[in-house]
Amino acid sequence: MSASTRKRRWLTIWAITASAALVAIPAGAAPGGSGSPFGARALARLAADREHSVGALTPKAKADDDDGNEADEIAEGADQYAEARTSPGIVAPGAYGAAWTSLTNLPATGGSWRNITDLPYDSDDSRYRDIDSNSSGGSGDVTGRMAAIAADDDGYVYAGSAGGGVWRSKRGGGNWKPISDKLPSQSTGALALDGAGRLWLGTGEANTNADAYLGSGVYVLSDPHHGSFSTRSRVGGDELESTTIRQLRFAGGKVWAATSEGVWSHSTKRLTGAWKLEFAPNPDYLPGGSKAHDDSAAYKNITNDIAFDPKDPSKVVLAVGWRSGDDYNGFYTKSSKGTWTRITSGFGDLPTDADNVGTVTFARAADGSRYYAIDESPEQMASNPDSGLEGIYSAASPFGPWTKVADYKQLAADGSALTSSGYMPGVQAWYNQFLTVDPANPKHVYAGLEEVYESRDGGATWSTVGPYWNFGFSCWSIDPAKQTGDCNQTTHSDQHGVAIGRYHGKSFVYVGNDGGVYKRPVDGAQDTSGHATDWTSLNDGTIDTLQYYSVGVGKDLDHGGVSVTGGLQDNGQSVLRSNDTVMGSDFGGDGGDTLTDPANGCDTAEEYVYLSVQVTQNCAVNDGSWVTDASKATSYNVAPADNATSEARFIAPLATDAKDSNTWIAGGRHVWVQTHGYAIRSGSEWKSVYDLGAGRTATAVAASGGKVYAAWCGPCNNQGFARGISVGNADGTGWHDISLPADGTVPNRYLSGFAIDPKNADHVFLAVNGFSRHWTEGPGAGVGHVFESTDGGTTWKDISANLPDVPTNAALVLSNGGLAVATDLGVVYRAPGRTRWQRVGSLPAVAVLQLKPSPDGRTLYAATHGRGIYTIKVRDLR
């Protein structure tokens, strides 16, 4: 595996995760009272319909073959992230709202959470400068994804994160404070300052990626310099609950919101009263409509942006459409009679046909003399592996005629770093977009895709002022002695938000991306290649929005205490030694599951995707040899064979035997076992001990004393969803499928985790994802989220009791005999000998994806997807 192969992986955003992918918008979170949250993972109904994700392409990237289109990986990951919460059916509105109400009404345990990752996280930490990290790429200090940015002329900057709320700086960036922790949604879709200086927040991230969350509406802060958002500051009623909000625009005494359920408006003077639905292209698919429960409802009314005639605010253009294409995609305008019609002519170069209008962003010059637009093309996204960008356009009026001022080939030729990695600008144009105009110069434009671009002449020429990274440039070498010194800091990749503001009399541009917030002077300096020389990371550690999927804890043998590591959305693997004041990153790309030796925290294994596993026995600290040969590196590729055949899930399960850290279990189509522990050096050292069967893939694995449990699904989506449990021994003997009763004792939903009693391997707990049948309209959805077996999985009992009906992600038997469960809305706990559940601490409305104990069992570690890693003392859980 070459250095470039590993580093190219950074382009994935989890499908989301992750980031990130082509399916998004959950049907889950729901209208409800003003106190309901809305953390549904992005994807509800869309994930069930692969026809609508980027050409229904399948992932190709593997551990040693990374030549596939990584946008396809994102699509696959998005599908799978959604499947866990929606299969076997679709989730009805109201689910997350009811869950949040139930959770906040639970009795609380003692103790309080402590954030241990609220310190700088240096992606360029020189200790880990290795071919499997992204160190020296140029992103510097990073944090989690920022979806929106706002800034004023008094030095105040506001950063809206994907899952960790809104943060304020009064120093032009840095020294951040959270200002939305009281809200039931920590997911940001849009931030905007109005003419009166009020800060408007539209909740619900609208990047249509996998780990996006729905929102609870729009909020306004009258004194953003000093105040904090509260539920009392919500604008209007519950009309915008359970939507995503991509843009907030102001005109004619109104605020307009482009949402996943049409375009709405509200008075900016009288904040009470309902929002008005201005336009929805397919109203039958809205909540309450005749087709509201159709599988395609989630993407039938997506709107992207709004542009107004500055001389007549009643004249408006709407950019409408689902990024993967639908027959309603296009631009619409309102007639004097109040009816909406599609624009079909007179628009110039900017397409009006449905196939070439996807995700769109507008920007207007302060004096109204110029307008700009970015357009992503569904047709290109489905057919062109290089880019989904149709182009960047300019016009004197939002009604056209528009002139194309850039396409992806032009941007690629203007200093892009993507081409050295085999991609082109706009390869993820459905996910990465921002656009803004310098208030002092209508021809000075900043555009964001995967990179940051700048034009000072209205789009005639462009510079890549924020390249994807420095890898591939002639100035870069893995050996610092061989660098020319011309590689400057850049921003993290994958751009989402932008704002221009002033601090100490100087103008700055602020950008938000998958690595947090960065700034540079608006009229900043460039080198001869057009790359900026003056970016500053504002991710100083006071802002922790890190999106963890996993956490691992082991003794720090060099410094005492413990070493904590974890896998992150688009920010690799973090390493926090006990004496660190700055976290480092020893693996690049997306970080999936994590294994850490409790006896030695530098013995770690990190998953990328599809069981692509790297292992190190020295925390991947570079030994100074600066090798580019993977066989001589400080980490080793040890992927099981299911990685090469793509028969593992995007984020596949890994575990060590609770009694023997040298025995590892991995789950794909097969259950894999290796007994070399962290001394493993090759994927060939894994042994398949059980074939789950064609079309099946593991969703959770656990082992104790040689007894192995494996949960699987197959098919894993709504079309014939099935799940099961297989049990056997690590030596390959005794394997069999558990016969789950047809009475629904264990629901027909995604099985997400096991927790084995350390005193008895036949005593095991099962965490079940998704919502129960009250909310899930699918066969066999069943009830309950936590189940217990005392006979090795042969029979199960529902022990959910008063547990809120919320997706559960993981479970852990604690050293005191109690049971902790991670959910999409926090952590719950059942004390030894009790049957009722308590809420652990008071985390904001953030998902917890994994729980791990400290080596001595006295501390519980929680990996949150938006607010870093937290700990709490087990003795305090009373």
Side-chain angles (χ1 to χ4, degrees):
M1 180 174 61
S2 69
S4 62
T5 295
R6 178 69 181 182
K7 289 178 168 61
R8 276 167 55 184
R9 294 177 175 174
W10 207 8
L11 191 58
T12 71
I13 42 192
W14 205 95
I16 76 264
T17 89
S19 146
L22 313 180
V23 202
I25 319 217
S34 61
S36 41
F38 301 66
R41 299 264 206 216
L43 303 123
R45 300 171 245 190
L46 301 183
D49 191 352
R50 287 301 306 280
E51 170 183 322
H52 293 282
S53 66
V54 190
L57 299 173
T58 55
K60 299 175 183 176
K62 307 175 182 68
D64 295 305
D65 177 13
D66 209 13
D67 296 329
N69 187 330
E70 300 214 30
D72 303 343
E73 285 188 2
I74 296 167
E76 178 70 12
D79 282 355
Q80 294 184 8
Y81 205 51
E83 289 166 0
R85 287 154 181 81
T86 60
S87 296
I90 59 175
V91 179
Y96 275 93
W100 181 251
T101 299
S102 297
L103 188 71
T104 54
N105 287 334
L106 286 180
T109 67
S112 58
W113 291 102
R114 181 173 72 92
N115 185 341
I116 64 167
T117 54
D118 56 348
L119 74 171
Y121 175 29
D122 184 5
S123 68
D124 287 326
D125 193 324
S126 59
R127 291 174 294 175
Y128 309 107
R129 188 169 187 175
D130 185 78
I131 63 169
D132 289 320
S133 78
N134 286 323
S135 178
S136 74
S139 296
D141 291 342
V142 297
T143 190
R145 185 169 69 247
M146 290 298 158
I149 304 288
D152 64 21
D153 290 341
D154 297 317
Y156 283 81
V157 185
Y158 308 93
S161 69
V166 181
W167 300 68
R168 174 177 61 219
S169 170
K170 61 181 180 180
R171 300 180 180 177
N175 194 29
W176 301 91
K177 304 292 183 183
I179 59 172
S180 67
D181 280 4
K182 295 179 181 179
L183 296 184
S185 173
Q186 297 299 307
S187 173
T188 305
L191 284 175
L193 288 160
D194 67 11
R198 296 176 296 180
L199 180 65
W200 294 69
L201 163 64
T203 59
E205 186 186 8
N207 290 319
T208 63
N209 48 295
D211 61 341
Y213 287 73
L214 294 176
S216 54
V218 173
Y219 301 83
V220 65
L221 191 54
S222 297
D223 182 12
H225 286 188
H226 305 99
S228 296
F229 288 103
S230 72
T231 55
R232 295 187 302 275
S233 62
R234 191 170 72 168
V235 178
D238 61 6
E239 299 82 17
L240 301 188
E241 284 190 359
S242 302
T243 69
T244 63
I245 298 174
R246 191 169 185 274
Q247 296 285 0
L248 295 171
R249 303 292 192 185
F250 303 96
K254 295 181 180 179
V255 57
W256 291 59
T259 82
S260 54
E261 293 182 356
V263 176
W264 300 70
S265 71
H266 198 284
S267 169
T268 57
K269 298 177 182 178
R270 183 173 176 270
L271 302 182
T272 58
W275 285 81
K276 176 185 177 183
L277 177 61
E278 293 282 356
F279 178 65
N282 296 292
D284 288 345
Y285 291 90
L286 293 175
S290 61
K291 298 180 179 180
H293 295 299
D294 189 285
D295 283 354
S296 62
Y299 58 81
K300 284 294 187 180
N301 286 289
I302 290 178
T303 56
N304 294 297
D305 209 347
I306 309 127
F308 300 92
D309 183 336
K311 298 178 181 179
D312 185 354
S314 67
K315 295 180 180 179
V316 58
V317 174
L318 304 182
V320 176
W322 166 231
R323 55 168 168 72
S324 292
D326 206 317
D327 56 10
Y328 74 90
N329 285 26
F331 296 96
Y332 293 76
T333 187
K334 189 176 184 181
S335 72
S336 58
K337 297 181 180 180
T339 58
W340 291 90
T341 58
R342 175 185 269 161
I343 295 173
T344 58
S345 62
F347 232 40
D349 295 339
L350 188 57
T352 56
D353 61 298
D355 290 341
N356 286 302
V357 180
T359 302
V360 171
T361 301
F362 290 123
R364 191 191 82 179
D367 63 5
S369 64
R370 298 302 301 172
Y371 287 78
Y372 297 88
I374 295 176
D375 177 31
E376 167 263 330
S377 164
E379 184 176 86
Q380 276 216 83
M381 187 169 69
S383 62
N384 184 354
D386 291 333
S387 177
L389 178 68
E390 182 69 18
I392 302 177
Y393 302 82
S394 174
S397 161
F399 297 92
W402 291 86
T403 300
K404 181 181 283 191
V405 294
D407 60 18
Y408 71 91
K409 294 180 180 179
Q410 177 181 346
L411 295 176
D414 291 328
S416 171
L418 279 170
T419 54
S420 64
S421 298
Y423 300 97
M424 298 288 272
V427 67
Q428 294 171 181
W430 56 271
Y431 172 73
N432 305 313
Q433 277 195 26
F434 72 54
L435 195 60
T436 195
V437 186
D438 182 350
N441 182 357
K443 291 189 175 182
H444 189 190
V445 186
Y446 277 91
L449 295 166
E450 297 75 33
E451 303 170 295
V452 181
Y453 306 95
E454 180 184 18
S455 175
R456 297 174 183 267
D457 53 16
T461 59
W462 293 86
S463 298
T464 307
V465 291
Y468 197 79
W469 48 29
N470 287 321
F471 302 129
F473 294 155
S474 59
C475 62
W476 182 86
S477 170
I478 193 171
D479 183 346
K482 297 179 181 179
Q483 287 195 188
T484 65
D486 296 329
C487 281
N488 294 289
Q489 178 172 322
T490 183
T491 71
H492 194 289
S493 57
D494 300 335
Q495 313 304 318
H496 304 294
V498 64
I500 292 176
R502 295 178 65 82
Y503 180 58
H504 287 171
K506 297 181 180 180
S507 292
F508 292 90
V509 60
Y510 300 87
V511 301
N513 48 51
D514 275 14
V517 192
Y518 297 78
K519 78 173 181 180
R520 72 183 290 250
V522 168
D523 291 307
Q526 301 178 14
D527 63 20
T528 56
S529 297
H531 305 144
T533 62
D534 45 14
W535 285 109
T536 299
S537 170
L538 301 178
N539 310 305
D540 59 1
T542 63
I543 183 170
D544 184 4
T545 60
L546 291 168
Q547 297 167 284
Y548 281 95
Y549 296 121
S550 61
V551 59
V553 191
K555 293 181 180 179
D556 187 342
L557 299 184
D558 295 325
H559 311 99
V562 295
S563 175
V564 182
T565 185
L568 289 147
Q569 188 274 323
D570 209 19
N571 281 299
Q573 188 88 358
S574 69
V575 180
L576 177 60
R577 309 290 295 276
S578 61
N579 68 328
D580 279 348
T581 57
V582 174
M583 285 195 299
S585 178
D586 58 358
F587 292 105
D590 281 308
D593 214 340
T594 298
L595 300 180
T596 303
D597 185 351
N600 184 351
C602 272
D603 285 349
T604 61
E606 178 259 9
E607 179 192 18
Y608 167 54
V609 293
Y610 304 118
L611 280 182
S612 176
V613 181
Q614 297 288 120
V615 66
T616 177
Q617 290 193 279
N618 73 338
C619 284
V621 174
N622 192 287
D623 61 6
S625 61
W626 309 111
V627 297
T628 57
D629 182 350
S631 65
K632 300 177 182 178
T634 58
S635 58
Y636 305 87
N637 170 32
V638 296
D642 280 352
N643 167 253
T645 57
S646 294
E647 291 184 287
R649 289 182 70 77
F650 188 84
I651 299 296
L654 291 171
T656 57
D657 189 298
K659 304 291 186 181
D660 179 9
S661 63
N662 286 325
T663 297
W664 295 7
I665 317 298
R669 168 178 167 170
H670 303 81
V671 178
W672 297 92
V673 173
Q674 70 92 5
T675 57
H676 302 279
Y678 298 90
I680 185 174
R681 293 295 180 264
S682 169
S684 64
E685 296 174 63
W686 291 91
K687 176 184 177 182
S688 172
V689 297
Y690 191 61
D691 184 348
L692 296 172
R696 293 178 177 179
T697 184
T699 59
V701 295
S704 181
K707 182 157 190 173
V708 181
Y709 295 87
W712 52 264
C713 62
C716 296
N717 57 27
N718 293 346
Q719 284 72 52
F721 177 84
R723 60 47 183 132
I725 299 172
S726 301
V727 179
N729 299 313
D731 63 6
T733 63
W735 277 92
H736 61 285
D737 290 347
I738 296 294
S739 179
L740 297 176
D743 64 3
T745 301
V746 175
N748 187 39
R749 304 200 312 270
Y750 186 94
L751 309 180
S752 54
F754 294 103
I756 304 176
D757 184 344
K759 299 178 181 179
N760 179 2
D762 286 335
H763 185 200
V764 61
F765 300 91
L766 173 67
V768 180
N769 214 296
F771 287 94
S772 66
R773 67 184 176 213
H774 181 74
W775 302 106
T776 304
E777 301 175 11
V783 297
H785 290 274
V786 184
F787 297 80
E788 179 180 19
S789 174
T790 57
D791 54 15
T794 301
T795 61
W796 295 89
K797 176 184 177 181
D798 185 356
I799 61 168
S800 303
N802 65 323
L803 182 73
D805 187 357
V806 63
T808 60
N809 302 306
L812 180 67
V813 178
L814 302 178
S815 58
N816 66 353
L819 182 65
V821 172
T823 82
D824 271 7
L825 295 175
V827 181
V828 294
Y829 170 72
R830 194 186 73 167
R834 303 287 181 87
T835 61
R836 308 289 284 178
W837 297 88
Q838 298 169 272
R839 183 184 183 190
V840 179
S842 56
L843 291 173
V846 63
V848 180
L849 299 189
Q850 195 173 82
L851 301 171
K852 291 285 181 67
S854 61
D856 61 9
R858 297 177 181 176
T859 304
L860 174 64
Y861 287 75
T864 79
H865 200 68
R867 291 297 282 265
I869 295 174
Y870 284 77
T871 67
I872 194 168
K873 296 296 183 182
V874 173
R875 67 170 182 255
D876 293 335
L877 301 180
R878 300 188 293 270

